[in-house]
Amino acid sequence: MSSEGFCLELFTQSENYEETPLRDRKAWIELWNRKGKAEFLRDFIALANTARCFGKPAYLLLGINDKGEIVGIDQMIERLGWNGLDDHQIAEKIRNQVSNLIREYITPSHPHWEFKFCRTEEKKALGYFLIGPITNGPFRVKKAFGYDEGSLQPGQCWIRMGESKHEVTLREISPEQEPYCYSHAQVPYLLPHHWRDYMKGCINELNVSPNIEQRYIELQADTGSFLEEEVSKFLNDPNMRWLIIEGVAGSGKTLFLKRWISKQAENNLVAIDEIIRREEFVPPPDWIPVYFRLGQRDPITNLEKLTEQLLNNINSKGRFWETRPSKPEQLFEYKNLKWLFCLDGLDEIYETKSIGQFINALREFLERFPKVKVILTTRPGFTGLPDGTIPSKLIRIEGLRREQIENYIGKCLSTSSIDLQPEDVDELMQYLFSDKDLAELCALPIYLEAAVEELLSVRVPPLEVNEPATTEASEPIRAESEEILSSKIGDKEQNGSLSSIQAHLDVTHEDMILESEDYIPRNEEPSSIGPEKDDDIERDYLAYTLPRRAVLIDKVYQRLWNREINRRVGKEREFKEYFTKVGKLALKMDGNIETLSQEEAKKCFTKRGLEWVLNMGGVLLQTKSGWIEFYNRLAKIYFAASFIKPHVENGTCSDIGRLICMCQPEFRSSVHEFLAELTAQELEPIFSC
């Protein structure tokens, strides 16, 4: 006779090692003496608590020894004097005896257990207890149970657990001990495969491509150290809880964070695979990164909402639970779990009120969970960070230095689909450093990336060599997917080579490069450099003509502005208008007015709009004394020209002719020259003042 649903595979097939704590093997249980009954009570309590933690049934197998040999429980049946009974009666006898023990000596009561009985083809009797995972508990001794060698005392509690599969054994625990005090319905018990899934989910979400990794340049902080070194110091300092990384738009905050988290997840994944290979039950040994993008989500107004969204973020990658537990936030309090929450883009929470609510919620979160750490990225201008209530540190991202820019160009050349030579680094550096304002813009990673990609034509396949160059830039605020690289292919007179840079710039060779090996300081004039240009040099391996400076600057600014607009869901029109307002402001300030008071600047923008433009980087900046000025002269010229361009092309010049004529002659001439490279329209009428 076999009990209905008897699973013989429990005896014959090896389990996944993570299931080991849920299975205990016994040749038999000595129900004929008190010592044997006490051992059974301990085993049952331990398995019931293990099932409760795992959220899965546990099994106490009878008739199989520790070596996995099926020996049967026939000797046990004989010892109990039940040889004359049929299998059904034997099974009922075992159920009754065990039921009485469980009911009298275990609390809370456990109604969800079964005993199943079977005989093999060799007539060996087998049985097992199936102990269901219920949420009551932890299970413990209800009242004292004495036997010759000792006794079970009220409140004693055990679990079947170990550091590895080979060390799984019955352990005495406190009913209040974490994590065993919680059922799976309260706080999930996380196994190595959960952590493996989570780390893979992090890597897939961040999707840092090999191409990005090959070209990445380490960022430096205002401390003089690399940003990654500052993060390591922060994590190794037991007193620090909150690291704030500040940088203007395009300074590389998000990419740094994604890349660092991806590397951390990859390192953890290697460690977890080794944990699984050794069949261990331990958590990741290093910091567990959680990437959380702020903005474009429901407002986080309090601690509860912040905690809920972080938990949802974690579970979406690790699949720690299907039905939400009642107390999953307790995972943040476990001393063996090192949580690092990386919150990206405080500035993307657009409303000032919402920013304040989020910061308050974050402070409460750090106070509520004292074992976690937080990295927060933001643009400048958010007061009260840090405020001293939480041990924290603020570091600022520095602009790229000359050697970093050169290193980046070298990496781009080595990974480019265009057949370029190492010496072309020098010529590209000459191009970027031909104008100190252009070099200054390229100290910001997003501008450098856009400029170099445009120069190398990485994104767009080459056109036919004989196709004429296009010098007209695309309209402001177009989608990146619609960008068409202009000035790709030159005539043979321009040779299509890097050496033909001179043909696009109204500068002498002596002005082509700056000598400084350090970060390019503002207002520093370019220094001159040596050899004469060889106009006869022609290179066969480069079939692209480098763009005019105005076209390049237009591409660079368009990339930044469109990137910002795409991040402002529901605010696109408002942010497009800022582009026009910056251009109008540039025309009004012209070359004579260097600075503007905040009050005057706010007449062009809302208060929040001005803050946003200031934080973009490379557009406007605020002096230490609080005045507003353009990032540099090139930025002012570009935005003035971009403001005029649609009026010229739409035939509405009369609307801005007066503003143009009010400009200083030198500035008006510079804008005219710049605009001539962006449009084929006649400009003389509106510039003839």
Side-chain angles (χ1 to χ4, degrees):
M1 192 263 332
S2 294
S3 300
E4 182 179 355
F6 188 93
C7 183
L8 187 60
E9 288 78 10
L10 290 170
F11 294 82
T12 59
Q13 295 182 2
S14 59
E15 72 278 4
N16 179 298
Y17 93 90
E18 290 185 342
E19 303 287 331
T20 302
L22 295 168
R23 296 190 194 181
D24 194 6
R25 297 179 174 87
K26 300 285 183 182
W28 54 72
I29 51 177
E30 299 179 2
L31 293 178
W32 56 86
N33 63 49
R34 292 186 68 82
K35 179 182 177 182
K37 291 177 180 179
E39 288 181 357
F40 170 77
L41 289 170
R42 277 196 295 264
D43 291 335
F44 189 95
I45 288 173
L47 284 168
N49 283 328
T50 304
R52 180 175 174 272
C53 280
F54 279 53
K56 297 180 179 180
Y59 300 89
L60 178 57
L61 308 181
L62 304 181
I64 182 171
N65 62 23
D66 290 337
K67 297 179 181 180
E69 300 169 341
I70 295 179
V71 296
I73 57 172
D74 300 276
Q75 293 184 38
M76 168 185 161
I77 294 171
E78 181 179 355
R79 186 67 182 266
L80 289 167
W82 297 342
N83 276 345
L85 303 179
D86 61 30
D87 290 347
H88 177 75
Q89 291 173 323
I90 292 171
E92 283 300 310
K93 284 280 190 181
I94 294 175
R95 286 191 192 97
N96 290 337
Q97 283 209 22
V98 166
S99 179
N100 291 334
L101 285 171
I102 292 171
R103 184 170 53 252
E104 186 172 358
Y105 292 102
I106 296 179
T107 187
S109 62
H110 196 308
H112 301 298
W113 65 270
E114 301 176 51
F115 177 73
K116 295 183 179 292
F117 185 87
C118 174
R119 286 197 182 271
T120 68
E121 293 180 357
E122 294 80 17
K123 303 301 181 181
K124 290 182 178 179
L126 299 176
Y128 64 82
F129 292 93
L130 186 157
I131 305 168
I134 66 173
T135 57
N136 293 341
F139 296 96
R140 53 199 181 276
V141 176
K142 183 177 181 180
K143 67 178 184 179
F145 184 91
Y147 54 98
D148 291 343
E149 290 83 355
S151 64
L152 306 182
Q153 294 300 316
Q156 281 189 287
C157 185
W158 298 269
I159 195 166
R160 183 171 159 78
M161 189 51 66
E163 295 298 319
S164 72
K165 172 182 177 179
H166 310 291
E167 297 176 5
V168 170
T169 185
L170 184 144
R171 293 183 174 185
E172 185 167 2
I173 59 172
S174 165
E176 293 78 32
Q177 182 177 336
E178 294 179 348
Y180 312 123
C181 58
Y182 300 114
S183 71
H184 191 273
Q186 294 173 303
V187 184
Y189 186 82
L190 301 180
L191 294 164
H193 83 269
H194 290 119
W195 293 116
R196 180 177 57 190
D197 290 345
Y198 176 77
M199 298 304 167
K200 287 182 177 180
C202 286
I203 295 168
N204 292 336
E205 176 195 39
L206 299 174
N207 192 28
V208 178
S209 71
N211 190 44
I212 290 176
E213 185 62 35
Q214 289 172 354
R215 299 181 177 192
Y216 187 77
I217 301 297
E218 295 291 344
L219 300 177
Q220 285 188 305
D222 57 351
T223 60
S225 301
F226 285 114
L227 209 54
E228 194 162 332
E229 294 174 0
E230 290 295 333
V231 170
S232 296
K233 292 176 187 177
F234 165 69
L235 295 178
N236 292 328
D237 188 338
N239 298 317
M240 280 292 158
R241 302 286 314 287
W242 187 1
L243 178 65
I244 300 155
I245 300 177
E246 183 183 279
V248 297
S251 59
K253 302 181 297 295
T254 293
L255 180 56
F256 167 80
L257 206 56
K258 286 185 174 182
R259 181 175 174 270
W260 187 91
I261 293 170
S262 185
K263 287 172 60 179
Q264 183 73 7
E266 288 172 357
N267 292 338
N268 275 332
L269 191 57
V270 171
I272 292 164
D273 285 341
E274 180 62 17
I275 287 169
I276 292 174
R277 188 192 69 79
R278 295 197 301 259
E279 299 185 323
E280 295 177 341
F281 300 93
V282 294
D286 208 344
W287 289 95
I288 303 166
V290 180
Y291 179 75
F292 188 76
R293 184 68 175 268
L294 301 172
Q296 299 187 16
R297 60 175 70 248
D298 293 337
I300 298 173
T301 57
N302 53 49
L303 170 63
E304 290 71 25
K305 287 188 176 181
L306 176 58
T307 305
E308 179 183 7
Q309 291 200 28
L310 290 175
L311 286 166
N312 290 341
N313 177 286
I314 292 168
N315 191 56
S316 69
K317 292 185 280 289
R319 295 174 292 176
F320 293 164
W321 58 80
E322 294 181 5
T323 302
R324 186 182 178 86
S326 60
K327 300 179 179 180
E329 68 277 3
Q330 294 300 320
L331 289 170
F332 301 156
E333 296 197 21
Y334 288 175
K335 62 183 180 181
N336 61 346
L337 298 181
K338 299 162 66 176
W339 293 101
L340 174 63
F341 294 95
C342 302
L343 312 180
D344 187 22
L346 175 65
D347 50 277
E348 292 187 30
I349 305 175
Y350 185 64
E351 301 296 336
T352 303
K353 179 181 178 182
S354 298
I355 292 173
Q357 290 174 332
F358 169 76
I359 293 298
N360 289 334
L362 182 55
R363 289 193 186 100
E364 291 181 28
F365 181 81
L366 287 164
E367 292 169 355
R368 169 70 176 80
F369 304 107
K371 295 181 176 63
V372 308
K373 291 198 175 197
V374 166
I375 295 177
L376 175 68
T377 68
T378 182
R379 295 180 188 177
F382 295 94
T383 57
L385 293 178
D387 66 352
T389 59
I390 302 291
S392 54
K393 182 177 182 180
L394 171 66
I395 57 175
R396 296 178 174 88
I397 298 176
E398 290 279 270
L400 297 177
R401 299 177 184 274
R402 181 186 176 87
E403 59 269 22
Q404 290 177 292
I405 295 173
E406 187 170 5
N407 188 14
Y408 178 78
I409 293 174
K411 289 183 176 183
C412 288
L413 287 176
S414 66
T415 58
S416 173
S417 59
I418 306 172
D419 185 16
L420 298 173
Q421 304 300 318
E423 59 267 22
D424 290 315
V425 173
D426 294 336
E427 293 196 66
L428 284 174
M429 287 291 288
Q430 287 178 354
Y431 182 90
L432 295 179
F433 282 75
S434 62
D435 183 302
K436 76 177 183 64
D437 287 351
L438 175 58
E440 194 172 73
L441 282 176
C442 288
L444 293 174
I446 192 171
Y447 289 103
L448 176 63
E449 179 188 11
V452 173
E453 284 195 4
E454 177 68 13
L455 294 175
L456 296 182
S457 308
V458 169
R459 288 192 169 186
V460 177
L463 305 175
E464 293 297 324
V465 173
N466 292 326
E467 188 165 334
T470 302
T471 58
E472 181 177 356
S474 53
E475 289 299 319
I477 319 306
R478 62 190 180 278
E480 270 195 15
S481 60
E482 297 174 352
E483 287 188 11
I484 302 174
L485 298 179
S486 57
S487 300
K488 281 294 165 205
I489 306 299
D491 297 330
K492 287 193 175 183
E493 289 76 17
Q494 293 178 323
N495 293 335
S497 69
L498 288 172
S499 296
S500 65
I501 290 171
Q502 298 291 341
H504 301 290
L505 297 173
D506 294 324
V507 294
T508 63
H509 193 78
E510 284 72 26
D511 294 326
M512 288 292 286
I513 192 164
L514 298 176
E515 287 286 355
S516 171
E517 293 298 326
D518 206 345
Y519 171 60
I520 301 83
R522 296 181 53 77
N523 301 321
E524 179 179 308
E525 292 300 323
S527 44
S528 59
I529 195 168
E532 294 296 326
K533 169 186 153 186
D534 184 356
D535 292 323
D536 297 327
I537 294 177
E538 180 173 352
R539 296 186 180 168
D540 298 331
Y541 53 79
L542 181 58
Y544 296 97
T545 296
L546 295 168
R548 296 179 183 274
R549 185 186 64 165
V551 175
L552 177 67
I553 296 301
D554 183 50
K555 302 287 186 183
V556 168
Y557 272 112
Q558 292 291 345
R559 169 178 287 204
L560 177 66
W561 213 276
N562 285 315
R563 170 181 177 267
E564 293 300 300
I565 288 174
N566 292 335
R567 291 182 171 187
R568 310 291 171 174
V569 177
K571 302 281 186 180
E572 294 89 347
R573 183 174 180 178
E574 178 181 351
F575 282 89
K576 287 180 181 180
E577 290 176 353
Y578 290 152
F579 188 91
T580 302
K581 291 178 178 179
V582 172
K584 190 172 183 180
L585 182 64
L587 202 56
K588 286 183 175 181
M589 290 178 69
D590 73 49
N592 190 42
I593 305 173
E594 295 295 333
T595 60
L596 203 66
S597 68
Q598 288 196 48
E599 289 69 25
E600 289 296 321
K602 288 174 185 175
K603 293 179 181 179
C604 297
F605 309 92
T606 63
K607 178 182 177 182
R608 186 71 179 96
L610 178 60
E611 291 175 354
W612 181 77
V613 175
L614 284 169
N615 288 331
M616 280 191 66
V619 183
L620 298 177
L621 57 82
Q622 185 172 356
T623 66
K624 291 182 179 180
S625 56
W627 291 81
I628 306 299
E629 63 182 27
F630 272 84
Y631 189 76
N632 54 33
R633 188 172 182 275
L634 181 60
K636 186 188 289 188
I637 291 171
Y638 167 73
F639 280 100
S642 295
F643 177 73
I644 297 170
K645 180 173 178 284
H647 290 276
V648 171
E649 295 177 342
N650 295 331
T652 56
C653 301
S654 59
D655 296 339
I656 59 168
R658 184 176 57 85
L659 289 176
I660 295 174
C661 289
M662 291 175 64
C663 293
Q664 297 293 317
E666 187 269 342
F667 181 75
R668 187 165 61 242
S669 175
S670 297
V671 173
H672 179 277
E673 181 182 348
F674 195 95
L675 189 56
E677 295 183 4
L678 294 180
T679 181
Q681 298 293 322
E682 178 63 38
L683 301 177
E684 292 305 326
I686 62 169
F687 280 90
S688 299
C689 298

